[in-house]
């Protein structure tokens, strides 16, 4: 695969998280990492990578035409994963779960759902390419790098708010999670498929 093709897919994955049209993806990452601080960077990176793995698996299965889902349901389920994640944060009262493996499983499972959302548009591009594996790798690498940059910015903003404005972490988590919950619930209601 020519390097320019790899970069095309890398940029496609990158824009899937950092573009203005990626609000649902950004909200999910925000809800996912809202309960963490820079001290838990290893846990955060594992969570984000678990999400990418789920996203990648569904995307690969879809591109290879092994699975297909009704896009109306997928577009409805994506904001549902976001408000569920935010709701879990609210019920934890701003505290991290002692069982972080549950968070990893949820990130992986919700990644499967999010991967279906982008699968239809990427399927056509990748299915025509004889280097499907490299295209998927480029896309997923771009997605992962974009997520890490978004996580870094989120943690930076959170650190500034917590340190300079002296806001308690619990209050910040509740504020972020409530805002994400409200936006995601509105998205879900707008996308009800029935």
């Amino acid at each position: 695969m020519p390097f320019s093709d790899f970069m095309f897919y890398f940029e496609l994955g990158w824009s899937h998280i950092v573009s203005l049209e990626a609000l649902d993806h950004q909200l999910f990452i925000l809800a996912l990492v809202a309960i963490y601080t820079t001290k838990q960077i290893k846990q955060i990176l594992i969570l984000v990578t678990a999400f990418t793995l789920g996203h990648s698996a569904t995307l690969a299965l879809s591109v290879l035409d092994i699975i297909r889902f009704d896009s109306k349901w997928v577009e409805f389920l994506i904001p549902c994963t976001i408000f569920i994640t935010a709701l879990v944060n609210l019920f934890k009262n701003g505290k991290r779960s002692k069982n972080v493996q549950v968070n990893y499983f949820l990130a992986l499972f919700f990644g499967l759902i999010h991967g279906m959302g982008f699968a239809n548009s990427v399927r056509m591009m990748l299915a025509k390419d004889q280097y499907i594996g490299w295209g998927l790798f480029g896309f997923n690498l771009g997605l992962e790098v974009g997520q890490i940059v978004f996580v870094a910015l989120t943690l930076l903003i959170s650190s500034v708010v917590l340190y300079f404005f002296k806001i308690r972490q619990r209050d910040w988590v509740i504020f972020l999670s409530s805002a994400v919950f409200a936006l995601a619930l509105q998205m879900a209601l707008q996308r009800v498929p029935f």
Side-chain angles (χ1 to χ4, degrees), residues 109-178:
F109 179 70
F110 288 167
L112 291 169
I113 294 171
H114 283 247
M116 289 184 277
F118 201 64
N120 289 335
S121 54
V122 173
R123 180 187 298 120
M124 296 305 166
M125 285 184 276
L126 284 171
K128 296 176 186 172
D129 196 331
Q130 59 183 346
Y131 301 103
I132 292 174
W134 281 110
L136 283 170
F137 178 69
F139 178 85
N140 291 315
L141 187 62
L143 178 74
E144 184 75 356
V145 171
Q147 288 178 153
I148 290 170
V149 168
F150 188 77
V151 165
L153 289 173
T154 301
L155 290 175
L156 177 66
I157 292 167
S158 292
S159 295
V160 167
V161 167
L162 296 173
Y163 182 76
F164 290 108
F165 296 103
K166 306 295 183 200
I167 294 176
R168 293 185 316 160
Q169 183 181 4
R170 179 181 177 275
D171 295 338
W172 179 241
V173 170
I174 290 172
F175 170 76
L176 280 180
S177 299
S178 297

Side-chain angles (χ1 to χ4, degrees), residues 8-175:
F8 169 78
Y9 290 116
F10 179 90
E11 289 172 12
L12 194 62
W14 165 268
S15 67
H16 184 58
I17 180 66
V18 299
S19 75
L20 295 175
E21 291 84 37
L23 180 61
D24 55 355
H25 205 126
Q26 294 163 359
L27 288 174
F28 180 75
I29 296 297
L30 183 60
L32 195 64
V33 302
I35 60 173
Y36 295 95
T37 65
T38 54
K39 294 176 184 175
Q40 294 91 25
I41 193 71
K42 181 180 176 184
Q43 293 168 325
I44 295 167
L45 293 177
I46 292 171
L47 272 175
V48 170
T49 301
F51 177 77
T52 302
L53 289 174
H55 195 282
S56 303
T58 309
L59 190 57
L61 291 172
S62 177
V63 168
L64 297 171
D65 214 16
I66 295 171
I67 59 169
R68 284 206 183 203
F69 293 94
D70 185 345
S71 61
K72 290 179 188 174
W73 278 99
V74 173
E75 290 303 315
F76 169 69
L77 288 174
I78 287 173
C80 290
T81 66
I82 300 166
F83 77 68
I84 290 169
T85 304
L87 196 60
V88 167
N89 291 349
L90 292 170
F91 277 111
K92 289 180 186 176
N93 288 326
K95 297 176 184 172
R96 287 187 315 280
S97 170
K98 292 181 180 176
N99 187 4
V100 292
Q101 290 180 346
V102 171
N103 292 348
Y104 299 149
F105 174 76
L106 285 176
L108 178 69
F109 179 70
F110 288 167
L112 291 169
I113 294 171
H114 283 247
M116 289 184 277
F118 201 64
N120 289 335
S121 54
V122 173
R123 180 187 298 120
M124 296 305 166
M125 285 184 276
L126 284 171
K128 296 176 186 172
D129 196 331
Q130 59 183 346
Y131 301 103
I132 292 174
W134 281 110
L136 283 170
F137 178 69
F139 178 85
N140 291 315
L141 187 62
L143 178 74
E144 184 75 356
V145 171
Q147 288 178 153
I148 290 170
V149 168
F150 188 77
V151 165
L153 289 173
T154 301
L155 290 175
L156 177 66
I157 292 167
S158 292
S159 295
V160 167
V161 167
L162 296 173
Y163 182 76
F164 290 108
F165 296 103
K166 306 295 183 200
I167 294 176
R168 293 185 316 160
Q169 183 181 4
R170 179 181 177 275
D171 295 338
W172 179 241
V173 170
I174 290 172
F175 170 76

